[in-house]
Amino acid sequence: MTRADLLIRDATVHDGSGAPGRVLDVAVTGDRIVAIGPRLDIAVAEVIDAAGLVLAPGFIDVHTHDDIAVLTRAGSTPKVSQGVTTVVTGNCGISAAPSPLLRRDVPVPPLDLLGDAATFAYPRFADYLAAVSAAGPAVNVVPLVGHTALRARAMDSLDRPATDEEIAAMRRDLVDALEAGAIGLSTGLAYPPAKATATAELIALVGDVAAAGALWTTHMRDERSGVVSAVAETIDIARRTGSRTLISHHKCCGEAAFGLSQTTLSMIAEARAELTLDLDVYPYTASSTVLIETFARDSRQVTVTWSDPHPEMNGRDLGDVSAEWGLSQTETIERLKPGGAIYHQMDDGDLDRILAFPPSLVGSDGLPRDRRPHPRLWGTFPRVLGHFSRDRGLIPLETAIAKMTGQTARVLGLTDRGLVQEGYYADLVLFDPGTVIDTASYDDPTARATGIHTVWVNGKPSWSDGAPADAGIGKLLTR
Ligand code: ZN
Ligand code: CU
């Protein structure tokens, strides 16, 4: 090696494997990492002095609702500004395609997290993938297909188990999406349109996922006081189908559920001895989704994030809105719908325990459509690095980085990303370990993180000098 395009000098390289950082030079040519070593002697076009900074693999946001956000470059700024270079779309049963509007004029909640009816313009999964490629995303995109979208296509009423014919229709759509390149299927069993899903329906669909060697991600049936039985159901389906399985945004909501992560994590640890079972988590004690009365009931406090009929209530406390309108909480929610909310409903002890659990991955679950989004959209990754690792010492820096890079790539089956290693794609983030921190808060939810210097996607800068690049440098990463 005598020539390269870019040399990043004297960075403390955290390679994403969980190994401690080492001061090294890293050379990039085209879209690949071509050399790593102490004091590389290479002729280069550009040198970056990275002394005192950490160089890590670009972060992989394993849990997003960025299906539509990736179609515009500005839509990915919340992620790029945090050092994210790859996003997994289509989570929680919610995907932009295939269109869930076969039998309806409007998307049933929570599909409307992604947008209104006009959003669902892709009849088949392949049509959506073509749109992503044509748009030239700012980040790499790893797409899942959502079970609730399939259910909405196959069924007239969603509050019951599917019939054999409906299951067969969903399986045709699922196989079509997997063949087009979806990396797997997501389910959102806690939400009304999927809550009545019978185990047989899940076994059939997840069985197809397993047969394709794909991944099943699941927002489980219950994340409240029934979370233990929801984990048991997940493990049972994983065992019966043999599918690789990822539990989404693991959490224990509502006081009656506080502390249950002790039980769920030991169940997961035990199941991992025989199954490929993983989990992700976001670093906050408030959740966020569409407005649902039962979610509000278990919460200390609820903030409205969007409301189509009452946009003037975006950012307002739900209790205050109720008082102002002289309505009960249920009536207030009915009047605000369709809409979304932030629900303060978790305990710090569970969050710490889940985040520190070695297999857990970091995913934002950010909601880019929300007018007053949960701060996880803009803050997740720097918050884990700055707040949980550096300031609180919950996990070492190399562990925090592995949970957003190498470990994640392994779960997703990405074989040439997620590590700083020769031959791997040059998805990289350079940040200041002393200052990196989230600044987005519940009051100021779109504030940009601090301490992220430069981000590269496929060898090209995607974030530098506090601004995103205006170039579609991300790739669609299909199966
Ligand atoms: Zn979810
Ligand atoms: Cu989600």
Side-chain angles (χ1 to χ4, degrees):
M1 177 71 44
T2 52
R3 285 202 54 83
D5 295 339
L6 169 69
L7 184 64
I8 303 165
R9 229 189 236 302
D10 291 328
T12 302
V13 175
H14 281 263
D15 68 3
S17 69
R22 293 167 57 203
V23 176
L24 295 167
D25 293 351
V26 173
V28 173
T29 293
D31 59 7
R32 301 280 181 158
I33 297 165
V34 292
I36 304 169
R39 292 269 118 209
L40 292 177
D41 185 18
I42 291 180
V44 286
E46 188 191 358
V47 178
I48 291 182
D49 174 17
L53 301 177
V54 166
L55 184 70
F59 306 140
I60 302 170
D61 191 346
V62 75
H63 190 108
T64 85
H65 294 284
D66 287 349
D67 303 45
I68 300 303
V70 296
L71 297 173
T72 57
R73 288 204 269 281
S76 291
T77 301
K79 299 300 167 64
V80 166
S81 62
Q82 295 180 59
V84 170
T85 56
T86 298
V87 301
V88 179
T89 59
N91 277 286
C92 300
I94 304 160
S95 59
S99 170
L101 301 180
L102 269 190
R103 299 160 184 271
R104 295 174 174 76
D105 297 333
V106 292
V108 289
L111 295 172
D112 58 350
L113 278 184
L114 295 178
D116 59 16
T119 301
F120 296 91
Y122 313 103
R124 294 177 65 185
F125 202 76
D127 300 324
Y128 168 71
L129 298 183
V132 173
S133 292
V139 291
N140 302 310
V141 179
V142 180
L144 292 160
V145 63
H147 169 238
T148 297
L150 303 185
R151 253 190 152 236
R153 285 167 67 78
M155 301 173 70
D156 284 320
S157 58
L158 297 165
D159 55 355
R160 57 170 176 83
T163 64
D164 289 347
E165 296 87 88
E166 289 163 345
I167 293 174
M170 283 185 245
R171 293 179 71 177
R172 282 193 296 275
D173 282 343
L174 170 61
V175 169
D176 188 59
L178 292 172
E179 282 174 355
I183 65 133
L185 173 76
S186 75
T187 50
L189 303 171
Y191 289 112
K195 235 191 147 73
T197 302
T199 306
E201 178 180 336
L202 288 171
I203 300 267
L205 292 165
V206 178
D208 289 340
V209 172
L215 176 70
W216 171 43
T217 74
T218 184
H219 176 158
M220 299 184 298
R221 219 179 272 279
D222 196 325
E223 297 182 308
R224 299 186 288 152
S225 53
V227 67
V228 170
S229 53
V231 170
E233 181 192 31
T234 304
I235 291 171
D236 178 52
I237 290 166
R239 187 176 288 131
R240 286 163 67 175
T241 59
S243 179
R244 293 189 288 124
T245 301
L246 178 65
I247 295 174
S248 296
H249 46 53
H250 191 38
K251 55 170 129 34
C252 302
C253 298
E255 243 177 87
F258 290 178
L260 291 179
S261 62
Q262 295 175 73
T263 307
T264 60
L265 295 184
S266 60
M267 290 164 77
I268 293 168
E270 201 186 306
R272 280 171 58 84
E274 45 154 343
L275 302 174
T276 307
L277 175 66
D278 293 277
L279 71 162
D280 62 67
V281 61
Y282 54 75
Y284 296 86
T285 54
S287 67
S288 186
T289 185
V290 289
L291 273 164
I292 295 178
E293 149 68 9
T294 49
F295 286 29
R297 227 184 286 147
D298 272 343
S299 303
R300 297 184 286 274
Q301 191 258 319
V302 180
T303 308
V304 179
T305 52
W306 61 280
S307 163
D308 273 349
H310 293 282
E312 74 280 10
M313 295 307 181
N314 296 345
R316 295 280 308 274
D317 177 86
L318 182 69
D320 290 350
V321 179
S322 290
E324 208 170 295
W325 284 351
L327 297 177
S328 71
Q329 184 166 280
T330 314
E331 292 162 337
T332 307
I333 287 173
E334 281 313 309
R335 199 195 268 195
L336 287 167
K337 274 171 161 177
I342 293 169
Y343 305 90
H344 292 268
Q345 57 179 183
M346 293 167 232
D347 185 52
D348 287 308
D350 288 308
L351 171 55
D352 285 0
R353 194 177 295 118
I354 296 168
L355 190 55
F357 182 55
S360 68
L361 310 175
V362 176
S364 73
D365 202 8
L367 300 175
R369 185 206 176 180
D370 291 12
R371 277 63 143 203
R372 288 271 309 193
H374 187 301
R376 65 194 187 191
L377 176 65
W378 287 82
T380 289
F381 296 86
R383 181 168 173 80
V384 171
L385 299 171
H387 177 71
F388 284 93
S389 175
R390 181 190 61 229
D391 297 348
R392 288 197 39 221
L394 183 72
I395 43 175
L397 180 60
E398 55 268 29
T399 304
I401 290 172
K403 284 173 176 290
M404 33 184 102
T405 60
Q407 236 171 275
T408 315
R410 203 182 325 125
V411 169
L412 296 174
L414 302 176
T415 52
D416 41 19
R417 297 180 194 269
L419 295 176
V420 180
Q421 196 168 298
E422 270 179 38
Y424 272 50
Y425 280 96
D427 291 344
L428 297 164
V429 53
L430 189 63
F431 69 87
D432 184 338
T435 63
V436 68
I437 196 75
D438 59 308
T439 65
S441 64
Y442 296 104
D443 295 323
D444 188 8
T446 62
R448 287 174 187 199
T450 305
I452 304 292
H453 275 238
T454 310
V455 186
W456 292 266
V457 174
N458 296 312
K460 304 263 176 336
S462 65
W463 180 261
S464 50
D465 301 320
D470 185 29
I473 50 183
K475 289 191 174 140
L476 186 58
L477 306 181
T478 51
R479 225 156 46 85

PDB file of all heavy atoms in Angstrom, residues 63 65 91-94 113 187-188 191 218-220 223 248-249 251 282 288-289 365 376, ligand 1:
ATOM      1  N   HIS A  63     -32.959   0.172  15.209  1.00  0.00           N
ATOM      2  CA  HIS A  63     -34.415   0.286  15.325  1.00  0.00           C
ATOM      3  C   HIS A  63     -34.867   1.685  14.918  1.00  0.00           C
ATOM      4  O   HIS A  63     -34.778   2.635  15.688  1.00  0.00           O
ATOM      5  CB  HIS A  63     -34.881  -0.022  16.754  1.00  0.00           C
ATOM      6  CG  HIS A  63     -36.361  -0.146  16.853  1.00  0.00           C
ATOM      7  ND1 HIS A  63     -36.990  -1.355  17.043  1.00  0.00           N
ATOM      8  CD2 HIS A  63     -37.347   0.772  16.748  1.00  0.00           C
ATOM      9  CE1 HIS A  63     -38.304  -1.158  17.057  1.00  0.00           C
ATOM     10  NE2 HIS A  63     -38.538   0.125  16.876  1.00  0.00           N
ATOM     11  N   HIS A  65     -37.803   4.177  12.424  1.00  0.00           N
ATOM     12  CA  HIS A  65     -39.022   4.328  11.622  1.00  0.00           C
ATOM     13  C   HIS A  65     -38.715   5.333  10.512  1.00  0.00           C
ATOM     14  O   HIS A  65     -39.501   6.225  10.221  1.00  0.00           O
ATOM     15  CB  HIS A  65     -40.182   4.756  12.519  1.00  0.00           C
ATOM     16  CG  HIS A  65     -40.535   3.679  13.510  1.00  0.00           C
ATOM     17  ND1 HIS A  65     -41.237   2.557  13.150  1.00  0.00           N
ATOM     18  CD2 HIS A  65     -40.214   3.508  14.817  1.00  0.00           C
ATOM     19  CE1 HIS A  65     -41.367   1.762  14.210  1.00  0.00           C
ATOM     20  NE2 HIS A  65     -40.749   2.307  15.228  1.00  0.00           N
ATOM     21  N   ASN A  91     -39.649  -1.158  11.321  1.00  0.00           N
ATOM     22  CA  ASN A  91     -39.805  -1.824  12.612  1.00  0.00           C
ATOM     23  C   ASN A  91     -41.235  -1.783  13.169  1.00  0.00           C
ATOM     24  O   ASN A  91     -42.084  -1.039  12.695  1.00  0.00           O
ATOM     25  CB  ASN A  91     -38.829  -1.199  13.612  1.00  0.00           C
ATOM     26  CG  ASN A  91     -37.443  -1.805  13.499  1.00  0.00           C
ATOM     27  OD1 ASN A  91     -37.219  -2.937  13.927  1.00  0.00           O
ATOM     28  ND2 ASN A  91     -36.526  -1.072  12.881  1.00  0.00           N
ATOM     29  N   CYS A  92     -41.457  -2.601  14.189  1.00  0.00           N
ATOM     30  CA  CYS A  92     -42.712  -2.596  14.970  1.00  0.00           C
ATOM     31  C   CYS A  92     -43.937  -2.953  14.136  1.00  0.00           C
ATOM     32  O   CYS A  92     -45.055  -2.519  14.444  1.00  0.00           O
ATOM     33  CB  CYS A  92     -42.927  -1.249  15.656  1.00  0.00           C
ATOM     34  SG  CYS A  92     -41.626  -0.799  16.798  1.00  0.00           S
ATOM     35  N   GLY A  93     -43.731  -3.714  13.058  1.00  0.00           N
ATOM     36  CA  GLY A  93     -44.850  -4.109  12.209  1.00  0.00           C
ATOM     37  C   GLY A  93     -45.214  -3.048  11.186  1.00  0.00           C
ATOM     38  O   GLY A  93     -46.111  -3.245  10.362  1.00  0.00           O
ATOM     39  N   ILE A  94     -44.496  -1.911  11.239  1.00  0.00           N
ATOM     40  CA  ILE A  94     -44.847  -0.731  10.446  1.00  0.00           C
ATOM     41  C   ILE A  94     -43.842  -0.553   9.306  1.00  0.00           C
ATOM     42  O   ILE A  94     -42.682  -0.233   9.555  1.00  0.00           O
ATOM     43  CB  ILE A  94     -44.787   0.526  11.351  1.00  0.00           C
ATOM     44  CG1 ILE A  94     -45.690   0.360  12.580  1.00  0.00           C
ATOM     45  CG2 ILE A  94     -45.133   1.779  10.554  1.00  0.00           C
ATOM     46  CD1 ILE A  94     -45.342   1.300  13.723  1.00  0.00           C
ATOM     47  N   LEU A 113     -47.696   6.416  11.849  1.00  0.00           N
ATOM     48  CA  LEU A 113     -46.439   6.983  12.358  1.00  0.00           C
ATOM     49  C   LEU A 113     -45.568   7.453  11.194  1.00  0.00           C
ATOM     50  O   LEU A 113     -44.768   8.375  11.327  1.00  0.00           O
ATOM     51  CB  LEU A 113     -45.627   5.912  13.113  1.00  0.00           C
ATOM     52  CG  LEU A 113     -45.959   5.585  14.548  1.00  0.00           C
ATOM     53  CD1 LEU A 113     -44.955   4.573  15.087  1.00  0.00           C
ATOM     54  CD2 LEU A 113     -45.933   6.838  15.408  1.00  0.00           C
ATOM     55  N   THR A 187     -42.755  -7.418  13.754  1.00  0.00           N
ATOM     56  CA  THR A 187     -44.122  -7.465  14.267  1.00  0.00           C
ATOM     57  C   THR A 187     -44.298  -6.385  15.338  1.00  0.00           C
ATOM     58  O   THR A 187     -43.336  -5.994  16.000  1.00  0.00           O
ATOM     59  CB  THR A 187     -44.484  -8.844  14.873  1.00  0.00           C
ATOM     60  OG1 THR A 187     -43.466  -9.247  15.789  1.00  0.00           O
ATOM     61  CG2 THR A 187     -44.622  -9.897  13.804  1.00  0.00           C
ATOM     62  N   GLY A 188     -45.550  -5.928  15.485  1.00  0.00           N
ATOM     63  CA  GLY A 188     -45.888  -4.923  16.495  1.00  0.00           C
ATOM     64  C   GLY A 188     -47.113  -5.385  17.253  1.00  0.00           C
ATOM     65  O   GLY A 188     -48.187  -4.801  17.142  1.00  0.00           O
ATOM     66  N   TYR A 191     -49.845  -3.415  19.448  1.00  0.00           N
ATOM     67  CA  TYR A 191     -50.737  -2.416  18.840  1.00  0.00           C
ATOM     68  C   TYR A 191     -52.072  -3.037  18.436  1.00  0.00           C
ATOM     69  O   TYR A 191     -52.125  -4.195  18.005  1.00  0.00           O
ATOM     70  CB  TYR A 191     -50.074  -1.826  17.606  1.00  0.00           C
ATOM     71  CG  TYR A 191     -48.909  -0.921  17.916  1.00  0.00           C
ATOM     72  CD1 TYR A 191     -47.611  -1.289  17.589  1.00  0.00           C
ATOM     73  CD2 TYR A 191     -49.120   0.307  18.539  1.00  0.00           C
ATOM     74  CE1 TYR A 191     -46.536  -0.453  17.866  1.00  0.00           C
ATOM     75  CE2 TYR A 191     -48.057   1.149  18.824  1.00  0.00           C
ATOM     76  CZ  TYR A 191     -46.768   0.768  18.481  1.00  0.00           C
ATOM     77  OH  TYR A 191     -45.711   1.594  18.755  1.00  0.00           O
ATOM     78  N   THR A 218     -39.315  -8.055  16.900  1.00  0.00           N
ATOM     79  CA  THR A 218     -40.660  -7.970  17.474  1.00  0.00           C
ATOM     80  C   THR A 218     -40.815  -6.946  18.595  1.00  0.00           C
ATOM     81  O   THR A 218     -40.058  -6.940  19.564  1.00  0.00           O
ATOM     82  CB  THR A 218     -41.153  -9.353  17.956  1.00  0.00           C
ATOM     83  OG1 THR A 218     -42.515  -9.242  18.419  1.00  0.00           O
ATOM     84  CG2 THR A 218     -40.282  -9.960  19.039  1.00  0.00           C
ATOM     85  N   HIS A 219     -41.766  -6.046  18.375  1.00  0.00           N
ATOM     86  CA  HIS A 219     -42.320  -5.233  19.452  1.00  0.00           C
ATOM     87  C   HIS A 219     -43.364  -6.158  20.076  1.00  0.00           C
ATOM     88  O   HIS A 219     -44.401  -6.415  19.485  1.00  0.00           O
ATOM     89  CB  HIS A 219     -42.934  -3.959  18.856  1.00  0.00           C
ATOM     90  CG  HIS A 219     -43.619  -3.072  19.850  1.00  0.00           C
ATOM     91  ND1 HIS A 219     -43.831  -1.733  19.613  1.00  0.00           N
ATOM     92  CD2 HIS A 219     -44.145  -3.322  21.070  1.00  0.00           C
ATOM     93  CE1 HIS A 219     -44.471  -1.200  20.651  1.00  0.00           C
ATOM     94  NE2 HIS A 219     -44.676  -2.151  21.544  1.00  0.00           N
ATOM     95  N   MET A 220     -43.044  -6.658  21.249  1.00  0.00           N
ATOM     96  CA  MET A 220     -43.788  -7.779  21.809  1.00  0.00           C
ATOM     97  C   MET A 220     -45.212  -7.371  22.214  1.00  0.00           C
ATOM     98  O   MET A 220     -45.546  -6.209  22.340  1.00  0.00           O
ATOM     99  CB  MET A 220     -43.043  -8.341  23.015  1.00  0.00           C
ATOM    100  CG  MET A 220     -41.652  -8.875  22.657  1.00  0.00           C
ATOM    101  SD  MET A 220     -40.838  -9.645  24.067  1.00  0.00           S
ATOM    102  CE  MET A 220     -40.719  -8.264  25.191  1.00  0.00           C
ATOM    103  N   GLU A 223     -45.463  -4.946  26.974  1.00  0.00           N
ATOM    104  CA  GLU A 223     -44.237  -4.390  27.554  1.00  0.00           C
ATOM    105  C   GLU A 223     -44.564  -3.774  28.902  1.00  0.00           C
ATOM    106  O   GLU A 223     -43.842  -2.941  29.412  1.00  0.00           O
ATOM    107  CB  GLU A 223     -43.630  -3.338  26.617  1.00  0.00           C
ATOM    108  CG  GLU A 223     -43.199  -3.911  25.276  1.00  0.00           C
ATOM    109  CD  GLU A 223     -42.553  -2.864  24.373  1.00  0.00           C
ATOM    110  OE1 GLU A 223     -43.163  -1.792  24.176  1.00  0.00           O
ATOM    111  OE2 GLU A 223     -41.457  -3.124  23.878  1.00  0.00           O
ATOM    112  N   SER A 248     -37.426  -5.998  20.151  1.00  0.00           N
ATOM    113  CA  SER A 248     -37.271  -4.558  19.937  1.00  0.00           C
ATOM    114  C   SER A 248     -37.430  -3.777  21.234  1.00  0.00           C
ATOM    115  O   SER A 248     -38.213  -4.154  22.105  1.00  0.00           O
ATOM    116  CB  SER A 248     -38.333  -4.075  18.944  1.00  0.00           C
ATOM    117  OG  SER A 248     -38.135  -4.675  17.685  1.00  0.00           O
ATOM    118  N   HIS A 249     -36.688  -2.680  21.326  1.00  0.00           N
ATOM    119  CA  HIS A 249     -36.792  -1.709  22.425  1.00  0.00           C
ATOM    120  C   HIS A 249     -37.294  -2.339  23.720  1.00  0.00           C
ATOM    121  O   HIS A 249     -38.364  -1.996  24.226  1.00  0.00           O
ATOM    122  CB  HIS A 249     -37.663  -0.512  22.036  1.00  0.00           C
ATOM    123  CG  HIS A 249     -38.962  -0.830  21.353  1.00  0.00           C
ATOM    124  ND1 HIS A 249     -39.891  -1.699  21.874  1.00  0.00           N
ATOM    125  CD2 HIS A 249     -39.489  -0.411  20.179  1.00  0.00           C
ATOM    126  CE1 HIS A 249     -40.928  -1.781  21.064  1.00  0.00           C
ATOM    127  NE2 HIS A 249     -40.697  -1.008  20.012  1.00  0.00           N
ATOM    128  N   LYS A 251     -38.210  -3.083  27.332  1.00  0.00           N
ATOM    129  CA  LYS A 251     -38.525  -2.146  28.400  1.00  0.00           C
ATOM    130  C   LYS A 251     -39.619  -2.708  29.301  1.00  0.00           C
ATOM    131  O   LYS A 251     -40.287  -3.686  28.937  1.00  0.00           O
ATOM    132  CB  LYS A 251     -38.957  -0.800  27.812  1.00  0.00           C
ATOM    133  CG  LYS A 251     -40.124  -0.869  26.807  1.00  0.00           C
ATOM    134  CD  LYS A 251     -40.627   0.508  26.482  1.00  0.00           C
ATOM    135  CE  LYS A 251     -40.795   0.954  25.071  1.00  0.00           C
ATOM    136  NZ  LYS A 251     -41.204   0.066  24.016  1.00  0.00           N
ATOM    137  N   TYR A 282     -33.474   1.645  23.808  1.00  0.00           N
ATOM    138  CA  TYR A 282     -33.125   3.074  23.671  1.00  0.00           C
ATOM    139  C   TYR A 282     -32.905   3.657  25.064  1.00  0.00           C
ATOM    140  O   TYR A 282     -33.514   3.200  26.032  1.00  0.00           O
ATOM    141  CB  TYR A 282     -34.144   3.854  22.847  1.00  0.00           C
ATOM    142  CG  TYR A 282     -35.596   3.774  23.259  1.00  0.00           C
ATOM    143  CD1 TYR A 282     -36.073   4.463  24.371  1.00  0.00           C
ATOM    144  CD2 TYR A 282     -36.502   3.021  22.513  1.00  0.00           C
ATOM    145  CE1 TYR A 282     -37.412   4.391  24.724  1.00  0.00           C
ATOM    146  CE2 TYR A 282     -37.845   2.954  22.866  1.00  0.00           C
ATOM    147  CZ  TYR A 282     -38.290   3.641  23.977  1.00  0.00           C
ATOM    148  OH  TYR A 282     -39.616   3.574  24.324  1.00  0.00           O
ATOM    149  N   SER A 288     -42.527   6.447  23.199  1.00  0.00           N
ATOM    150  CA  SER A 288     -43.279   7.351  22.319  1.00  0.00           C
ATOM    151  C   SER A 288     -43.879   6.566  21.171  1.00  0.00           C
ATOM    152  O   SER A 288     -43.216   5.720  20.571  1.00  0.00           O
ATOM    153  CB  SER A 288     -42.365   8.446  21.762  1.00  0.00           C
ATOM    154  OG  SER A 288     -43.127   9.391  21.034  1.00  0.00           O
ATOM    155  N   THR A 289     -45.138   6.846  20.905  1.00  0.00           N
ATOM    156  CA  THR A 289     -45.819   6.210  19.775  1.00  0.00           C
ATOM    157  C   THR A 289     -47.106   6.983  19.511  1.00  0.00           C
ATOM    158  O   THR A 289     -47.250   8.119  19.961  1.00  0.00           O
ATOM    159  CB  THR A 289     -46.054   4.698  20.037  1.00  0.00           C
ATOM    160  OG1 THR A 289     -46.604   4.111  18.849  1.00  0.00           O
ATOM    161  CG2 THR A 289     -47.000   4.459  21.200  1.00  0.00           C
ATOM    162  N   ASP A 365     -35.356   4.095  17.896  1.00  0.00           N
ATOM    163  CA  ASP A 365     -36.823   4.123  17.810  1.00  0.00           C
ATOM    164  C   ASP A 365     -37.326   5.553  17.561  1.00  0.00           C
ATOM    165  O   ASP A 365     -38.464   5.890  17.890  1.00  0.00           O
ATOM    166  CB  ASP A 365     -37.462   3.521  19.074  1.00  0.00           C
ATOM    167  CG  ASP A 365     -38.885   3.024  18.846  1.00  0.00           C
ATOM    168  OD1 ASP A 365     -39.333   3.003  17.686  1.00  0.00           O
ATOM    169  OD2 ASP A 365     -39.547   2.675  19.837  1.00  0.00           O
ATOM    170  N   ARG A 376     -35.061  11.021  21.610  1.00  0.00           N
ATOM    171  CA  ARG A 376     -34.274   9.870  21.144  1.00  0.00           C
ATOM    172  C   ARG A 376     -33.960   9.975  19.653  1.00  0.00           C
ATOM    173  O   ARG A 376     -32.986   9.400  19.181  1.00  0.00           O
ATOM    174  CB  ARG A 376     -35.020   8.562  21.442  1.00  0.00           C
ATOM    175  CG  ARG A 376     -36.320   8.397  20.682  1.00  0.00           C
ATOM    176  CD  ARG A 376     -37.177   7.274  21.274  1.00  0.00           C
ATOM    177  NE  ARG A 376     -38.348   7.033  20.423  1.00  0.00           N
ATOM    178  CZ  ARG A 376     -39.378   6.274  20.754  1.00  0.00           C
ATOM    179  NH1 ARG A 376     -39.396   5.671  21.937  1.00  0.00           N
ATOM    180  NH2 ARG A 376     -40.374   6.092  19.931  1.00  0.00           N
TER     181      ARG A 376
HETATM  182 ZN    ZN B   1     -42.177  -0.517  18.769  1.00  0.00          ZN
END
